mmCIF file of all heavy atoms in Angstrom:
data_model
loop_
_atom_site.group_PDB
_atom_site.id
_atom_site.type_symbol
_atom_site.label_atom_id
_atom_site.label_comp_id
_atom_site.label_asym_id
_atom_site.label_seq_id
_atom_site.Cartn_x
_atom_site.Cartn_y
_atom_site.Cartn_z
ATOM 1 N N LEU A 1 97.292 98.060 91.750
ATOM 2 C CA LEU A 1 98.243 98.472 90.674
ATOM 3 C C LEU A 1 99.417 97.444 90.473
ATOM 4 O O LEU A 1 99.976 97.414 89.420
ATOM 5 C CB LEU A 1 98.838 99.812 91.060
ATOM 6 C CG LEU A 1 97.873 101.052 91.015
ATOM 7 C CD1 LEU A 1 98.588 102.304 91.518
ATOM 8 C CD2 LEU A 1 97.323 101.216 89.598
ATOM 9 N N GLY A 2 99.724 96.789 91.565
ATOM 10 C CA GLY A 2 100.838 95.841 91.441
ATOM 11 C C GLY A 2 102.173 96.392 91.696
ATOM 12 O O GLY A 2 103.195 95.623 91.495
ATOM 13 N N HIS A 3 102.341 97.620 92.101
ATOM 14 C CA HIS A 3 103.574 98.157 92.514
ATOM 15 C C HIS A 3 103.400 99.251 93.580
ATOM 16 O O HIS A 3 102.372 99.918 93.625
ATOM 17 C CB HIS A 3 104.265 98.854 91.298
ATOM 18 C CG HIS A 3 103.494 99.959 90.634
ATOM 19 N ND1 HIS A 3 102.647 99.679 89.531
ATOM 20 C CD2 HIS A 3 103.440 101.222 90.898
ATOM 21 C CE1 HIS A 3 102.155 100.786 89.171
ATOM 22 N NE2 HIS A 3 102.576 101.819 89.959
ATOM 23 N N SER A 4 104.401 99.450 94.423
ATOM 24 C CA SER A 4 104.359 100.426 95.466
ATOM 25 C C SER A 4 104.892 101.774 95.003
ATOM 26 O O SER A 4 105.711 101.824 94.109
ATOM 27 C CB SER A 4 105.264 99.887 96.686
ATOM 28 O OG SER A 4 104.662 98.776 97.249
ATOM 29 N N PRO A 5 104.409 102.868 95.623
ATOM 30 C CA PRO A 5 104.929 104.185 95.227
ATOM 31 C C PRO A 5 106.355 104.309 95.666
ATOM 32 O O PRO A 5 106.823 103.750 96.755
ATOM 33 C CB PRO A 5 104.067 105.130 96.000
ATOM 34 C CG PRO A 5 103.538 104.346 97.155
ATOM 35 C CD PRO A 5 103.400 102.922 96.663
ATOM 36 N N ASP A 6 107.152 105.094 94.900
ATOM 37 C CA ASP A 6 108.548 105.411 95.327
ATOM 38 C C ASP A 6 108.567 106.520 96.326
ATOM 39 O O ASP A 6 109.518 106.613 97.180
ATOM 40 C CB ASP A 6 109.354 105.778 94.086
ATOM 41 C CG ASP A 6 109.455 104.711 93.078
ATOM 42 O OD1 ASP A 6 110.303 103.784 93.395
ATOM 43 O OD2 ASP A 6 108.739 104.661 92.131
ATOM 44 N N LEU A 7 107.503 107.276 96.389
ATOM 45 C CA LEU A 7 107.309 108.332 97.407
ATOM 46 C C LEU A 7 105.884 108.733 97.528
ATOM 47 O O LEU A 7 105.143 108.810 96.592
ATOM 48 C CB LEU A 7 108.153 109.651 96.916
ATOM 49 C CG LEU A 7 108.021 110.780 97.976
ATOM 50 C CD1 LEU A 7 108.946 110.474 99.149
ATOM 51 C CD2 LEU A 7 108.437 112.094 97.285
ATOM 52 N N VAL A 8 105.498 108.837 98.763
ATOM 53 C CA VAL A 8 104.080 109.369 99.100
ATOM 54 C C VAL A 8 104.272 110.857 99.514
ATOM 55 O O VAL A 8 105.107 111.136 100.401
ATOM 56 C CB VAL A 8 103.429 108.618 100.267
ATOM 57 C CG1 VAL A 8 102.076 109.233 100.602
ATOM 58 C CG2 VAL A 8 103.239 107.114 99.827
ATOM 59 N N PHE A 9 103.561 111.697 98.854
ATOM 60 C CA PHE A 9 103.606 113.112 99.197
ATOM 61 C C PHE A 9 102.228 113.600 99.687
ATOM 62 O O PHE A 9 101.213 113.401 99.001
ATOM 63 C CB PHE A 9 104.003 113.979 98.027
ATOM 64 C CG PHE A 9 104.261 115.430 98.285
ATOM 65 C CD1 PHE A 9 105.606 115.799 98.698
ATOM 66 C CD2 PHE A 9 103.312 116.407 98.253
ATOM 67 C CE1 PHE A 9 105.870 117.119 99.034
ATOM 68 C CE2 PHE A 9 103.557 117.719 98.528
ATOM 69 C CZ PHE A 9 104.786 118.081 98.958
ATOM 70 N N PHE A 10 102.238 114.149 100.906
ATOM 71 C CA PHE A 10 100.969 114.699 101.556
ATOM 72 C C PHE A 10 100.932 116.179 101.244
ATOM 73 O O PHE A 10 101.695 117.047 101.838
ATOM 74 C CB PHE A 10 101.037 114.409 103.040
ATOM 75 C CG PHE A 10 101.038 112.978 103.406
ATOM 76 C CD1 PHE A 10 102.233 112.324 103.741
ATOM 77 C CD2 PHE A 10 99.878 112.234 103.451
ATOM 78 C CE1 PHE A 10 102.241 110.992 104.129
ATOM 79 C CE2 PHE A 10 99.918 110.844 103.793
ATOM 80 C CZ PHE A 10 101.081 110.309 104.172
ATOM 81 N N PRO A 11 100.043 116.628 100.406
ATOM 82 C CA PRO A 11 99.886 118.064 100.157
ATOM 83 C C PRO A 11 99.392 118.880 101.355
ATOM 84 O O PRO A 11 99.375 120.096 101.348
ATOM 85 C CB PRO A 11 98.803 118.151 98.982
ATOM 86 C CG PRO A 11 98.872 116.839 98.388
ATOM 87 C CD PRO A 11 99.192 115.857 99.488
ATOM 88 N N TRP A 12 98.917 118.136 102.379
ATOM 89 C CA TRP A 12 98.460 118.826 103.617
ATOM 90 C C TRP A 12 98.994 117.937 104.801
ATOM 91 O O TRP A 12 98.380 117.083 105.288
ATOM 92 C CB TRP A 12 96.943 118.904 103.687
ATOM 93 C CG TRP A 12 96.423 119.577 104.905
ATOM 94 C CD1 TRP A 12 95.884 118.997 106.079
ATOM 95 C CD2 TRP A 12 96.203 120.994 105.134
ATOM 96 N NE1 TRP A 12 95.516 119.910 106.942
ATOM 97 C CE2 TRP A 12 95.694 121.145 106.451
ATOM 98 C CE3 TRP A 12 96.611 122.123 104.368
ATOM 99 C CZ2 TRP A 12 95.444 122.441 106.951
ATOM 100 C CZ3 TRP A 12 96.303 123.368 104.923
ATOM 101 C CH2 TRP A 12 95.773 123.562 106.178
ATOM 102 N N LEU A 13 100.241 118.242 105.218
ATOM 103 C CA LEU A 13 100.993 117.398 106.144
ATOM 104 C C LEU A 13 100.492 117.754 107.561
ATOM 105 O O LEU A 13 100.711 116.917 108.521
ATOM 106 C CB LEU A 13 102.486 117.634 106.028
ATOM 107 C CG LEU A 13 103.385 116.686 106.843
ATOM 108 C CD1 LEU A 13 103.172 115.281 106.425
ATOM 109 C CD2 LEU A 13 104.867 117.152 106.617
ATOM 110 N N ASP A 14 99.813 118.824 107.763
ATOM 111 C CA ASP A 14 99.516 119.307 109.155
ATOM 112 C C ASP A 14 98.837 118.256 109.963
ATOM 113 O O ASP A 14 99.139 118.167 111.150
ATOM 114 C CB ASP A 14 98.602 120.519 109.032
ATOM 115 C CG ASP A 14 99.244 121.697 108.286
ATOM 116 O OD1 ASP A 14 99.815 121.395 107.179
ATOM 117 O OD2 ASP A 14 99.164 122.878 108.779
ATOM 118 N N ILE A 15 97.885 117.473 109.427
ATOM 119 C CA ILE A 15 97.103 116.600 110.257
ATOM 120 C C ILE A 15 97.902 115.314 110.607
ATOM 121 O O ILE A 15 97.451 114.467 111.429
ATOM 122 C CB ILE A 15 95.735 116.196 109.593
ATOM 123 C CG1 ILE A 15 96.001 115.613 108.168
ATOM 124 C CG2 ILE A 15 94.845 117.400 109.405
ATOM 125 C CD1 ILE A 15 94.810 115.079 107.444
ATOM 126 N N TYR A 16 99.109 115.177 110.110
ATOM 127 C CA TYR A 16 99.916 113.937 110.355
ATOM 128 C C TYR A 16 100.987 114.289 111.431
ATOM 129 O O TYR A 16 101.741 113.362 111.809
ATOM 130 C CB TYR A 16 100.524 113.453 109.084
ATOM 131 C CG TYR A 16 99.487 113.101 108.041
ATOM 132 C CD1 TYR A 16 99.065 113.965 107.113
ATOM 133 C CD2 TYR A 16 98.989 111.807 108.061
ATOM 134 C CE1 TYR A 16 98.106 113.627 106.233
ATOM 135 C CE2 TYR A 16 98.026 111.401 107.147
ATOM 136 C CZ TYR A 16 97.555 112.361 106.227
ATOM 137 O OH TYR A 16 96.576 112.043 105.305
ATOM 138 N N LEU A 17 101.084 115.490 111.895
ATOM 139 C CA LEU A 17 102.137 115.886 112.846
ATOM 140 C C LEU A 17 101.513 116.222 114.237
ATOM 141 O O LEU A 17 100.482 116.802 114.304
ATOM 142 C CB LEU A 17 102.886 117.089 112.299
ATOM 143 C CG LEU A 17 103.589 116.875 110.952
ATOM 144 C CD1 LEU A 17 104.391 118.099 110.548
ATOM 145 C CD2 LEU A 17 104.504 115.640 110.858
ATOM 146 N N SER A 18 102.287 115.917 115.209
ATOM 147 C CA SER A 18 101.853 116.256 116.576
ATOM 148 C C SER A 18 103.101 116.251 117.529
ATOM 149 O O SER A 18 103.980 115.372 117.398
ATOM 150 C CB SER A 18 100.780 115.307 117.083
ATOM 151 O OG SER A 18 100.557 115.560 118.467
ATOM 152 N N GLU A 19 103.092 117.085 118.491
ATOM 153 C CA GLU A 19 104.186 117.117 119.449
ATOM 154 C C GLU A 19 104.442 115.922 120.169
ATOM 155 O O GLU A 19 105.522 115.527 120.547
ATOM 156 C CB GLU A 19 103.985 118.274 120.487
ATOM 157 C CG GLU A 19 104.136 119.728 119.819
ATOM 158 C CD GLU A 19 102.832 120.193 119.314
ATOM 159 O OE1 GLU A 19 101.879 119.430 119.182
ATOM 160 O OE2 GLU A 19 102.848 121.442 118.868
ATOM 161 N N TYR A 20 103.335 115.097 120.475
ATOM 162 C CA TYR A 20 103.458 113.904 121.317
ATOM 163 C C TYR A 20 103.563 112.651 120.527
ATOM 164 O O TYR A 20 103.439 111.522 121.098
ATOM 165 C CB TYR A 20 102.264 113.849 122.282
ATOM 166 C CG TYR A 20 102.298 114.908 123.367
ATOM 167 C CD1 TYR A 20 101.615 116.105 123.217
ATOM 168 C CD2 TYR A 20 102.992 114.753 124.599
ATOM 169 C CE1 TYR A 20 101.669 117.094 124.145
ATOM 170 C CE2 TYR A 20 103.024 115.616 125.524
ATOM 171 C CZ TYR A 20 102.366 116.841 125.352
ATOM 172 O OH TYR A 20 102.375 117.833 126.290
ATOM 173 N N LEU A 21 103.693 112.757 119.184
ATOM 174 C CA LEU A 21 103.707 111.570 118.342
ATOM 175 C C LEU A 21 105.166 111.312 117.940
ATOM 176 O O LEU A 21 105.836 112.189 117.415
ATOM 177 C CB LEU A 21 102.813 111.783 117.088
ATOM 178 C CG LEU A 21 102.653 110.589 116.157
ATOM 179 C CD1 LEU A 21 101.974 109.404 116.876
ATOM 180 C CD2 LEU A 21 101.884 111.024 114.939
ATOM 181 N N THR A 22 105.655 110.047 118.128
ATOM 182 C CA THR A 22 107.023 109.726 117.772
ATOM 183 C C THR A 22 107.024 108.950 116.455
ATOM 184 O O THR A 22 106.078 108.284 116.074
ATOM 185 C CB THR A 22 107.674 108.915 118.852
ATOM 186 O OG1 THR A 22 107.103 107.590 118.895
ATOM 187 C CG2 THR A 22 107.531 109.557 120.242
ATOM 188 N N TYR A 23 108.155 109.026 115.815
ATOM 189 C CA TYR A 23 108.329 108.361 114.514
ATOM 190 C C TYR A 23 108.319 106.793 114.648
ATOM 191 O O TYR A 23 108.022 106.114 113.766
ATOM 192 C CB TYR A 23 109.537 108.766 113.759
ATOM 193 C CG TYR A 23 110.865 108.299 114.312
ATOM 194 C CD1 TYR A 23 111.348 107.110 113.830
ATOM 195 C CD2 TYR A 23 111.595 109.028 115.205
ATOM 196 C CE1 TYR A 23 112.547 106.579 114.268
ATOM 197 C CE2 TYR A 23 112.807 108.561 115.667
ATOM 198 C CZ TYR A 23 113.324 107.365 115.207
ATOM 199 O OH TYR A 23 114.480 106.873 115.672
ATOM 200 N N HIS A 24 108.617 106.308 115.902
ATOM 201 C CA HIS A 24 108.659 104.877 116.037
ATOM 202 C C HIS A 24 107.293 104.221 115.757
ATOM 203 O O HIS A 24 107.165 103.229 115.171
ATOM 204 C CB HIS A 24 109.151 104.489 117.496
ATOM 205 C CG HIS A 24 110.419 105.150 117.812
ATOM 206 N ND1 HIS A 24 110.545 106.440 118.354
ATOM 207 C CD2 HIS A 24 111.773 104.700 117.723
ATOM 208 C CE1 HIS A 24 111.810 106.715 118.606
ATOM 209 N NE2 HIS A 24 112.557 105.684 118.180
ATOM 210 N N LEU A 25 106.256 104.898 116.322
ATOM 211 C CA LEU A 25 104.926 104.473 116.094
ATOM 212 C C LEU A 25 104.529 104.613 114.655
ATOM 213 O O LEU A 25 103.864 103.632 114.043
ATOM 214 C CB LEU A 25 103.934 105.201 116.949
ATOM 215 C CG LEU A 25 103.824 104.836 118.497
ATOM 216 C CD1 LEU A 25 102.962 105.803 119.174
ATOM 217 C CD2 LEU A 25 103.275 103.423 118.626
ATOM 218 N N VAL A 26 104.818 105.677 114.047
ATOM 219 C CA VAL A 26 104.479 105.877 112.648
ATOM 220 C C VAL A 26 105.132 104.901 111.762
ATOM 221 O O VAL A 26 104.468 104.423 110.775
ATOM 222 C CB VAL A 26 104.815 107.352 112.248
ATOM 223 C CG1 VAL A 26 104.668 107.596 110.734
ATOM 224 C CG2 VAL A 26 103.977 108.345 112.995
ATOM 225 N N ASP A 27 106.381 104.573 112.016
ATOM 226 C CA ASP A 27 107.073 103.599 111.127
ATOM 227 C C ASP A 27 106.432 102.222 111.139
ATOM 228 O O ASP A 27 106.407 101.513 110.145
ATOM 229 C CB ASP A 27 108.581 103.522 111.566
ATOM 230 C CG ASP A 27 109.382 104.697 111.132
ATOM 231 O OD1 ASP A 27 108.868 105.539 110.362
ATOM 232 O OD2 ASP A 27 110.541 104.824 111.576
ATOM 233 N N ILE A 28 105.873 101.860 112.310
ATOM 234 C CA ILE A 28 105.219 100.528 112.388
ATOM 235 C C ILE A 28 103.958 100.648 111.547
ATOM 236 O O ILE A 28 103.594 99.575 110.768
ATOM 237 C CB ILE A 28 104.818 100.308 113.832
ATOM 238 C CG1 ILE A 28 106.053 100.088 114.702
ATOM 239 C CG2 ILE A 28 103.885 99.037 113.882
ATOM 240 C CD1 ILE A 28 105.769 99.982 116.207
ATOM 241 N N ILE A 29 103.269 101.706 111.483
ATOM 242 C CA ILE A 29 101.982 101.819 110.748
ATOM 243 C C ILE A 29 102.178 102.151 109.282
ATOM 244 O O ILE A 29 101.491 101.614 108.378
ATOM 245 C CB ILE A 29 101.126 102.895 111.437
ATOM 246 C CG1 ILE A 29 100.712 102.579 112.806
ATOM 247 C CG2 ILE A 29 99.861 103.224 110.579
ATOM 248 C CD1 ILE A 29 100.063 103.622 113.602
ATOM 249 N N PHE A 30 103.139 102.973 108.961
ATOM 250 C CA PHE A 30 103.319 103.526 107.663
ATOM 251 C C PHE A 30 104.668 103.201 107.066
ATOM 252 O O PHE A 30 105.696 103.761 107.381
ATOM 253 C CB PHE A 30 103.070 105.065 107.668
ATOM 254 C CG PHE A 30 102.837 105.654 106.336
ATOM 255 C CD1 PHE A 30 101.575 105.674 105.769
ATOM 256 C CD2 PHE A 30 103.864 106.223 105.566
ATOM 257 C CE1 PHE A 30 101.336 106.261 104.560
ATOM 258 C CE2 PHE A 30 103.651 106.762 104.307
ATOM 259 C CZ PHE A 30 102.345 106.811 103.834
ATOM 260 N N PRO A 31 104.799 102.173 106.214
ATOM 261 C CA PRO A 31 106.091 101.654 105.706
ATOM 262 C C PRO A 31 106.680 102.339 104.500
ATOM 263 O O PRO A 31 107.662 101.927 103.995
ATOM 264 C CB PRO A 31 105.755 100.175 105.474
ATOM 265 C CG PRO A 31 104.317 100.242 105.007
ATOM 266 C CD PRO A 31 103.668 101.349 105.733
ATOM 267 N N TYR A 32 105.988 103.393 104.023
ATOM 268 C CA TYR A 32 106.386 104.042 102.695
ATOM 269 C C TYR A 32 107.241 105.251 102.901
ATOM 270 O O TYR A 32 107.152 105.942 103.982
ATOM 271 C CB TYR A 32 105.108 104.393 101.923
ATOM 272 C CG TYR A 32 104.119 103.342 101.739
ATOM 273 C CD1 TYR A 32 102.975 103.226 102.528
ATOM 274 C CD2 TYR A 32 104.301 102.306 100.746
ATOM 275 C CE1 TYR A 32 102.062 102.150 102.365
ATOM 276 C CE2 TYR A 32 103.389 101.309 100.627
ATOM 277 C CZ TYR A 32 102.300 101.249 101.379
ATOM 278 O OH TYR A 32 101.404 100.138 101.245
#
């Protein structure tokens, strides 16, 4: 597309959350 999204919205956020997962790791992987 040539442009990044201003916001990514997950209609099913459940599978992206976990008690043992920290945001530091996620930020490295997911920059949006």
Side-chain angles (χ1 to χ4, degrees):
L1 293 177
H3 60 266
S4 293
D6 296 282
L7 181 75
V8 176
F9 189 87
F10 296 98
W12 182 262
L13 189 60
D14 300 45
I15 57 176
Y16 299 91
L17 303 182
S18 172
E19 288 87 353
Y20 291 93
L21 185 63
T22 69
Y23 75 88
H24 305 88
L25 281 173
V26 172
D27 283 352
I28 295 172
I29 295 171
F30 196 84
Y32 306 101

